[in-house]
Amino acid sequence: PWDDAGFKSPEDAAAPEIPARYVQVRRVKYSRDRRKAVVELLTNEEPTLYPYTVICERDSSGLWHEAGGHN
């Protein structure tokens, strides 16, 4: 069971707790079956940006959820 209701894209699911002005999506890579995605972010403000990588998974209804992340 997921803690959130789900999101329409892995980019939206990647870091919903961080205000949008502090998140830049660098890249999204999907698994072959498009059920998982790796979202590479830069967080914080210029000039001090921190890389953050998030694994997202798609549920049976097609919505995306954060499954874990690390910097």
Side-chain angles (χ1 to χ4, degrees), residues 28-46:
V28 180
K29 294 178 76 177
Y30 292 89
S31 63
R32 289 184 192 261
D33 64 2
R34 298 191 67 84
R35 307 271 313 143
K36 295 182 181 179
V38 176
V39 182
E40 296 177 8
L41 306 171
L42 290 177
T43 61
N44 206 9
E45 290 183 280
E46 300 263 0

Side-chain angles (χ1 to χ4, degrees), residues 11-36:
E11 295 92 330
D12 292 337
E17 69 283 358
I18 301 174
R21 69 179 182 269
Y22 299 121
V23 178
Q24 296 176 37
V25 176
R26 297 268 314 203
R27 182 179 2 195
V28 180
K29 294 178 76 177
Y30 292 89
S31 63
R32 289 184 192 261
D33 64 2
R34 298 191 67 84
R35 307 271 313 143
K36 295 182 181 179

